[in-house]
Amino acid sequence: MKQLNSWVNDANSSLLTDLYQLTMLQAYWELGMEQESVFSLFVRRLPENRNYLVAAGLEDVLRYLESICFDQGALELLRALQLFSDDFISWLGAFRFTGDVYAMKEGTPFFENEPVLEVVAPLPQAQLVETFIMNQVHFQTLAATKAARVIYAAQGKTVLDFGLRRMHGTDAGMKAARAFYIAGVGATSNVLAGCEYGIPVAGTMAHSFVQAHDDEMEALRNFTKVHPQTILLVDTYNPLEGVKKVIALAKEMGEGFQVRGIRLDSGDLAQLSVEARTLLDEAGLENIRIFVSGNLDEYSLQDIFRADAPIDGLGVGTRMGVSMDCPTVDFVYKMAAYEGKGRIKTSPGKETYPGQKQVFRQEENGKAVFDILGQWGEEIPGRPLLSLVMEKGRRLAPGDLKQSRAHCTDALSRLPEQVLGNEPAKPGYEVRISPRLEQARRECVRQYAGKLQ
Amino acid sequence: MKQLNSWVNDANSSLLTDLYQLTMLQAYWELGMEQESVFSLFVRRLPENRNYLVAAGLEDVLRYLESICFDQGALELLRALQLFSDDFISWLGAFRFTGDVYAMKEGTPFFENEPVLEVVAPLPQAQLVETFIMNQVHFQTLAATKAARVIYAAQGKTVLDFGLRRMHGTDAGMKAARAFYIAGVGATSNVLAGCEYGIPVAGTMAHSFVQAHDDEMEALRNFTKVHPQTILLVDTYNPLEGVKKVIALAKEMGEGFQVRGIRLDSGDLAQLSVEARTLLDEAGLENIRIFVSGNLDEYSLQDIFRADAPIDGLGVGTRMGVSMDCPTVDFVYKMAAYEGKGRIKTSPGKETYPGQKQVFRQEENGKAVFDILGQWGEEIPGRPLLSLVMEKGRRLAPGDLKQSRAHCTDALSRLPEQVLGNEPAKPGYEVRISPRLEQARRECVRQYAGKLQ
């Protein structure tokens, strides 16, 4: 870790954890508590404004688990904290993740109590990695879910991610672009995300380009000279006057006019798009597409398309980028077994199910009807959603973003309609507990009751 | 950029930008539009549930501006997009930021229309850096502001940051810890942030440690053996039973008992803390401190302390970490001048003020009473909040996190009480526009009106 800069990198990500993971680690190590444990990552209850969630972030988790270690720089930093014994710090120098991971594919819709990921590993290993796993899966799942809702509301129109500037930091900018793409977003404005993940990039001009000119017409003309097939932003001063200037530019340029579209970024977008479409069509510019942006989300899109606005593409920024109506979900990473024994929490409202689990999705005529949460290895009909993705610390197959995207589209198309829309589904999608799993939970409670007197 | 991984680093951060910044850059370059411009970063209106905002993120902005460049790897990636001319890509290879930056100190409370930062630079430079500047200042300001509100509600009790796991990605985890510290948070659970920024780290044990034992008493005893001066988590099964076990442990260990406190993480924290305090005091354990955590924010803290709960410290996680009640503010980065001429937007509700600006804070008896937004160089009484921090691309002084923290504490103590609390201040803190600035805006509007007919 020669360069300890403001960003997290592969060399220092082992320290991107909560201090208590390390204090517990020292205790587990000193106490010799290194037997196999099972931890489940799941959401206890769906937020009121989410009928489903879309799993994302697994790829970054697996990369982290494959590479996690404490190099000399990390060990020096820990020593300087004066909280840990020298022997423990030496032991950390040899720390590697050697466990198994079972997970849902990225892009899988899931529901309450369903593990999206389970770690089966020696207790210290499974414990240490909690914070990073949560940090990545929580946010990417939020982002993929929000995007899936926006895309559903967009009724087939292209959705573009414009959110980088107001996302929470640089990593959010990258990971959201990735999660959005899994959920079906068509392109991102984030150049680095486009380059890294192979996502199409989109974007043309801002108001400042127009403002830098003394005259709006000259600005549009100038931009078109440099980028002939561009989308022109028309609302710096007055949207419809801007549209008229694009029409004038088309006349001026004649055959050379190749502009692909216009963008409206303020005002009543539904109404303005109708008026702009009329102006453009009357001028014979039927091929010019209309893009809109500005405070868009699944709710405003529902209104826009209820009004049947002639809009071809949508630039969606902040509200999708921070999952504004739901900036967090109650993901937890809970111990489900240790030393072969089921472990649960019994606090009211925080009950958990013991042991390694599987989710079986029940389908009728190609549509999901309910899920069954059962024990791993149980024989239950239906589509099993979790599979072994990492064995003894090595991943079994590389991730493929385009495959995740295709999987997500397919899996969402199998969900009931009332789950996909903006309104809370009542009743929500049902998750049944298998009799064997319920039985195992009761046995756990009984054993605990004996001890808690 | 040999290693293009999932995280943003110094070598590739120039690509962490919106595509349109680069398409505009090519246009500016081809058109020879490289004269000096002024851009202002500000918030048009405060969110309804924020009476002030706390500026943060400047340090990361300056580091970025000092280092931004396109190395060969970055240029290759841009070439592969097939959107830019070869000549332009060659020109990017020599791109550096050579402008001036004026800014408020980190930790400064600010209000609507007040620039926290202004960039004075050749147009292409000032334009390109918009996305990164917004990404960092927006989030760090959100985080510092939320923490300031939580700290005010905590009435002098220590606030600890436990939010890493549910923040939006790794960078948010780092930058929030930093911004929280500026605002006065006492410690963070994020080990890497502690090491990097020199922030105290905090954390002891999780429920899983208790769950991994067959017996809660044995778990507490074991953890205390390894970490004698720890804080013990008591609510895995039943909070008050947990407290009684700590008391039993104290009797068992006698003189050797050095445990510093207990932590309650669920249930009615105010009520439980009273009952726990009583049990501890009756057992002669008056020195044991009580820490609480679980769904805390400025609103729940207000309730807890209205009930006068005997709580010594607060672990605040998700709700502060994602600024849950306000996950975004309407920061904008707008052109204010080009080629020495003021530039504004005139769209209704989006009006801006032209030229470089200064904020003058008016104080009476050590308390801020209102601000005046004026032109840079205007002679107006009051405390000027912006100063030159970077000249010709070189910063004038290194940042100092502890100084920013002290500055924030001081500046917040000067704000009127009604601004600091949870309730919306009516009327809010006043920002007056200087007559000269208002005059300059009107002249701009008049000039534009001539052109917009």
Side-chain angles (χ1 to χ4, degrees):
Chain A
M1 207 181 321
K2 276 165 256 161
Q3 175 202 16
L4 184 66
N5 67 23
S6 298
W7 292 297
V8 182
N9 57 45
D10 282 4
N12 66 23
S13 61
S14 58
L15 297 184
L16 192 81
T17 191
D18 291 302
L19 180 65
Y20 77 6
Q21 312 289 10
L22 289 167
T23 52
M24 284 191 283
L25 219 59
Q26 177 166 346
Y28 289 143
W29 175 71
E30 288 196 17
L31 299 163
M33 295 177 67
E34 302 189 41
Q35 287 73 46
E36 187 176 277
S37 60
V38 178
F39 278 77
S40 291
L41 181 69
F42 63 99
V43 170
R44 278 204 195 91
R45 267 171 298 279
L46 295 180
E48 281 185 21
N49 51 11
R50 293 291 182 272
N51 296 323
Y52 65 92
L53 297 169
V54 176
L58 176 64
E59 185 63 22
D60 289 283
V61 166
L62 295 180
R63 204 168 71 86
Y64 165 81
L65 293 177
E66 273 203 327
S67 64
I68 184 173
C69 66
F70 294 82
D71 66 6
Q72 283 307 314
L75 297 178
E76 286 306 319
L77 289 170
L78 287 180
R79 197 166 282 125
L81 292 178
Q82 299 188 303
L83 295 168
F84 305 104
S85 70
D86 286 347
D87 286 352
F88 172 63
I89 289 176
S90 300
W91 177 78
L92 278 182
F95 183 95
R96 295 291 182 280
F97 182 81
T98 63
D100 299 340
V101 177
Y102 297 78
M104 290 185 186
K105 284 183 199 168
E106 290 194 276
T108 303
F110 67 96
F111 305 91
E112 61 187 22
N113 286 320
E114 299 183 346
V116 290
L117 182 150
E118 295 200 313
V119 173
V120 180
L123 178 54
Q125 295 179 22
Q127 181 72 66
L128 176 67
V129 300
E130 171 181 23
T131 308
F132 187 92
I133 289 178
M134 289 268 283
N135 176 275
Q136 290 295 302
V137 174
H138 171 266
F139 176 62
Q140 293 195 43
T141 295
L142 273 182
T145 306
K146 181 72 176 177
R149 288 166 57 88
V150 168
I151 288 162
Y152 184 79
Q155 302 191 4
K157 310 299 180 185
T158 303
V159 172
L160 311 170
D161 157 32
F162 284 179
L164 173 57
R165 64 187 57 197
R166 294 210 195 88
M167 289 179 191
H168 291 186
T170 59
D171 192 47
M174 296 295 286
K175 302 300 171 54
R178 179 182 185 281
F180 290 166
Y181 190 66
I182 290 174
V185 166
T188 179
S189 69
N190 180 340
V191 179
L192 186 61
C195 294
E196 157 134 23
Y197 297 120
I199 302 171
V201 289
T204 56
M205 68 191 298
H207 295 115
S208 52
F209 187 86
V210 178
Q211 287 176 276
H213 288 76
D214 285 330
D215 181 85
E216 188 178 25
M217 183 72 191
E218 197 191 343
L220 300 178
R221 189 185 292 120
N222 272 342
F223 201 76
T224 307
K225 266 185 216 156
V226 179
H227 300 289
Q229 302 192 325
T230 192
I231 314 291
L232 291 170
L233 180 63
V234 296
D235 73 334
T236 306
Y237 305 112
N238 177 314
L240 295 178
E241 292 303 315
V243 174
K244 288 178 191 162
K245 284 175 186 146
V246 173
I247 292 168
L249 185 63
K251 289 199 180 125
E252 190 179 299
M253 293 179 70
E255 295 280 303
F257 185 76
Q258 302 173 55
V259 168
R260 289 185 301 128
I262 60 165
R263 176 161 73 97
L264 298 161
D265 185 52
S266 54
D268 179 339
L269 297 171
Q271 178 61 26
L272 285 172
S273 68
V274 170
E275 294 174 14
R277 185 75 271 159
T278 304
L279 288 173
L280 292 166
D281 289 352
E282 284 172 3
L285 296 171
E286 293 87 357
N287 290 333
I288 294 274
R289 298 169 72 197
I290 298 177
F291 292 82
V292 300
S293 55
N295 296 329
L296 296 180
D297 61 16
E298 66 269 47
Y299 307 105
S300 56
L301 289 184
Q302 194 173 37
D303 293 340
I304 284 175
F305 287 112
R306 197 175 281 140
D308 209 20
I311 288 169
D312 302 290
L314 307 145
V316 185
T318 306
R319 293 183 182 193
M320 184 165 80
V322 303
S323 187
M324 191 161 161
D325 65 329
C326 180
T328 179
V329 294
D330 186 28
F331 255 118
V332 291
Y333 178 84
K334 289 293 166 194
M335 179 183 285
Y338 180 58
E339 285 190 301
K341 279 188 254 183
R343 309 276 169 162
I344 56 172
K345 279 186 78 176
T346 59
S347 334
K350 293 191 171 184
E351 298 87 355
T352 59
Y353 292 93
Q356 201 189 327
K357 291 170 279 292
Q358 178 60 284
V359 178
F360 303 88
R361 183 148 296 168
Q362 310 302 315
E363 295 183 348
E364 282 173 14
N365 305 319
K367 287 279 180 191
V369 286
F370 64 91
D371 288 356
I372 299 175
L373 179 63
Q375 292 184 311
W376 180 261
E378 242 189 299
E379 286 196 13
I380 292 179
R383 188 193 294 263
L385 300 187
L386 289 119
S387 62
L388 182 67
V389 294
M390 172 171 270
E391 191 168 22
K392 298 197 172 106
R394 305 199 61 155
R395 58 189 307 172
L396 298 182
D400 182 316
L401 197 61
K402 288 200 165 57
Q403 272 182 20
S404 300
R405 179 178 166 94
H407 168 64
C408 184
T409 303
D410 175 64
L412 286 172
S413 76
R414 293 168 185 272
L415 292 188
E417 284 289 321
Q418 81 274 15
V419 167
L420 292 168
N422 293 343
E423 285 69 38
K426 309 240 167 172
Y429 188 87
E430 188 186 3
V431 179
R432 298 184 189 167
I433 309 298
S434 84
R436 273 180 58 184
L437 183 58
E438 181 55 37
Q439 173 71 8
R441 193 185 72 82
R442 286 200 196 137
E443 272 167 31
C444 256
V445 171
R446 210 170 302 132
Q447 286 169 15
Y448 279 46
K451 274 177 235 142
L452 289 176
Q453 285 160 3
Chain B
M1 207 180 322
K2 275 165 255 158
Q3 177 201 17
L4 184 66
N5 66 24
S6 296
W7 292 298
V8 182
N9 57 44
D10 283 4
N12 66 24
S13 61
S14 58
L15 297 185
L16 192 81
T17 191
D18 291 303
L19 180 66
Y20 77 7
Q21 311 289 11
L22 289 168
T23 53
M24 283 191 282
L25 219 59
Q26 177 167 346
Y28 289 143
W29 175 71
E30 287 196 19
L31 298 163
M33 294 178 67
E34 303 190 41
Q35 286 74 45
E36 186 175 276
S37 60
V38 178
F39 278 77
S40 292
L41 181 68
F42 63 98
V43 170
R44 280 202 194 94
R45 266 170 301 279
L46 294 180
E48 281 185 22
N49 50 9
R50 292 292 182 270
N51 296 323
Y52 65 92
L53 297 168
V54 175
L58 177 63
E59 185 63 22
D60 289 283
V61 166
L62 295 180
R63 203 169 71 87
Y64 165 81
L65 294 177
E66 273 203 328
S67 64
I68 183 172
C69 66
F70 295 82
D71 66 6
Q72 283 309 312
L75 298 179
E76 286 307 318
L77 289 170
L78 288 181
R79 197 167 283 125
L81 292 177
Q82 299 187 304
L83 295 168
F84 305 105
S85 70
D86 287 346
D87 287 351
F88 172 63
I89 288 176
S90 301
W91 177 79
L92 278 182
F95 183 94
R96 296 292 181 281
F97 182 81
T98 62
D100 300 340
V101 177
Y102 298 77
M104 289 185 187
K105 285 183 198 167
E106 290 193 278
T108 303
F110 68 95
F111 305 90
E112 61 187 22
N113 286 320
E114 299 182 348
V116 290
L117 182 153
E118 295 199 315
V119 173
V120 181
L123 178 54
Q125 294 179 23
Q127 181 73 65
L128 177 67
V129 300
E130 172 181 25
T131 307
F132 187 91
I133 290 178
M134 288 268 284
N135 176 275
Q136 291 294 304
V137 175
H138 172 266
F139 176 61
Q140 293 195 43
T141 294
L142 272 182
T145 305
K146 181 72 176 176
R149 288 166 57 87
V150 168
I151 288 162
Y152 183 80
Q155 302 191 4
K157 310 298 180 186
T158 303
V159 173
L160 312 170
D161 157 31
F162 284 180
L164 173 57
R165 64 187 57 196
R166 295 212 193 89
M167 289 179 191
H168 290 186
T170 59
D171 193 48
M174 296 295 286
K175 302 300 172 54
R178 179 182 186 281
F180 291 166
Y181 191 68
I182 289 174
V185 167
T188 180
S189 69
N190 180 341
V191 178
L192 186 61
C195 294
E196 157 134 24
Y197 297 121
I199 302 171
V201 288
T204 57
M205 68 191 297
H207 295 115
S208 53
F209 188 86
V210 178
Q211 288 176 276
H213 289 75
D214 284 330
D215 180 82
E216 188 178 26
M217 182 72 191
E218 196 192 344
L220 300 178
R221 189 186 292 120
N222 272 340
F223 201 75
T224 307
K225 267 185 214 154
V226 178
H227 300 290
Q229 303 191 327
T230 193
I231 314 291
L232 291 171
L233 181 61
V234 295
D235 73 333
T236 306
Y237 305 112
N238 177 314
L240 295 178
E241 293 302 316
V243 174
K244 288 178 192 163
K245 284 175 186 145
V246 172
I247 291 168
L249 185 64
K251 288 196 180 128
E252 188 179 300
M253 295 180 68
E255 295 279 303
F257 185 76
Q258 303 173 54
V259 168
R260 289 186 299 129
I262 60 164
R263 176 161 72 97
L264 298 161
D265 185 52
S266 54
D268 180 338
L269 298 171
Q271 179 59 27
L272 285 171
S273 68
V274 170
E275 294 173 14
R277 186 75 272 159
T278 304
L279 289 173
L280 292 166
D281 290 352
E282 284 172 2
L285 295 172
E286 293 87 356
N287 290 332
I288 293 274
R289 299 170 72 196
I290 297 177
F291 293 82
V292 300
S293 55
N295 295 330
L296 297 180
D297 61 15
E298 66 270 46
Y299 308 105
S300 56
L301 288 184
Q302 195 173 39
D303 293 340
I304 284 175
F305 287 111
R306 197 175 281 140
D308 209 20
I311 288 168
D312 301 291
L314 306 145
V316 185
T318 305
R319 292 183 183 194
M320 185 164 80
V322 302
S323 187
M324 191 161 159
D325 66 329
C326 180
T328 178
V329 295
D330 186 29
F331 256 118
V332 291
Y333 178 84
K334 289 293 165 193
M335 179 182 286
Y338 180 60
E339 285 190 303
K341 279 189 252 181
R343 309 275 168 162
I344 56 173
K345 278 185 77 175
T346 59
S347 334
K350 294 192 171 185
E351 298 86 355
T352 60
Y353 292 93
Q356 202 189 328
K357 290 170 279 289
Q358 177 61 284
V359 178
F360 303 87
R361 183 148 295 168
Q362 311 301 314
E363 295 183 348
E364 282 173 16
N365 305 319
K367 287 279 180 191
V369 285
F370 63 92
D371 289 356
I372 299 175
L373 179 64
Q375 292 183 312
W376 180 260
E378 242 189 298
E379 288 196 13
I380 292 179
R383 188 194 292 265
L385 299 187
L386 289 120
S387 63
L388 183 67
V389 294
M390 172 171 269
E391 191 168 22
K392 298 199 172 102
R394 306 200 60 154
R395 57 189 306 173
L396 299 182
D400 181 317
L401 197 61
K402 288 199 165 56
Q403 272 183 21
S404 300
R405 179 178 167 93
H407 168 65
C408 184
T409 303
D410 175 65
L412 286 172
S413 75
R414 294 168 185 272
L415 292 188
E417 284 289 320
Q418 80 274 13
V419 167
L420 293 169
N422 293 344
E423 284 69 39
K426 307 238 162 158
Y429 187 88
E430 188 186 2
V431 179
R432 298 184 189 167
I433 309 298
S434 84
R436 272 179 60 183
L437 183 59
E438 181 54 38
Q439 174 70 9
R441 193 185 71 82
R442 285 199 197 139
E443 273 167 32
C444 256
V445 171
R446 209 169 304 134
Q447 286 168 14
Y448 279 46
K451 273 176 235 141
L452 289 175
Q453 285 160 1

